[in-house]
Each structure stands twice: as structure tokens, then as C-alpha cells.
Amino acid sequence: DAHNDREAELDRLLQEKQATSMKLAALFAAADVDGSGGLTVEEMAKGYDEDPEVRKIIDDLVGNKDRIEELFSVIDVANCGTLPIDDFMHGVMLYLENPSMFF
């Protein structure tokens, strides 16, 4: 029935969001090579070039390396050049939900 279909769809969306959050946390941990707890666009680009797992996650999330700097500049609302994990994850999740809002 319609209620069960809606519940199944909500469960699927929640699982997708959780999977994406796990990917973002893995990306952040792998790319934050200096262990500072903050991620820079340079660390993301270097991670893309040097770590196949980082490359796969970025490609899955935003398409390719060319989008890294663009995405980073949009989610770095304080324009400080370094994103803590919460800001990074929140910004990327917002982007993924509505990319046209950003570009």
C-alpha cells in the first residue's frame, strides 16, 4: 500500500544519506594528510592524485578533479581555506542535495 511504499522510500533515502556520510568521513580522513582536523583544497587535490580511494570518492560525489576547487570555494563560506569535518560534510551534503543552488 501507499504507506508502506513511502516508508520504504524514506528508509532507502536514509540509507543513501548514511552511505554518503560514511564516504565523506573516509574522504576527509584520507585527505587530511597532516592530521590537522581541517581539510584544504590542496589536500583534497593531492589526495585525488595520490590515493585511489580518495579519487573514487571524489569522482562518485562530484564528477572529477576539476570540480574540487569549485566545490571547496562554495562550501568554505568563511573563506578561511581550511574546513573542519563538520563544515565539510555539511557543505558537501547540501551540494549533493541541490547542486544547482551552488553553480
Side-chain angles (χ1 to χ4, degrees), residues 23-93:
K23 281 184 182 181
L24 290 175
L27 169 60
F28 190 94
D32 181 22
V33 292
D34 66 2
S36 67
L39 193 59
T40 66
V41 69
E42 293 82 11
E43 285 177 313
M44 283 183 68
K46 184 175 181 176
Y48 187 94
D49 291 338
E50 297 178 1
D51 187 328
E53 184 62 24
V54 169
R55 182 177 311 112
K56 180 178 179 353
I57 294 169
I58 290 172
D59 286 345
D60 288 349
L61 292 173
V62 295
N64 60 50
K65 183 181 177 182
D66 297 336
R67 302 297 303 262
I68 293 173
E69 191 169 335
E70 210 172 87
L71 175 66
F72 196 91
S73 69
V74 169
I75 62 177
D76 183 15
V77 293
N79 202 28
C80 64
T82 302
L83 292 170
I85 191 166
D86 291 342
D87 291 353
F88 172 76
M89 291 183 68
H90 179 74
V92 174
M93 292 298 279

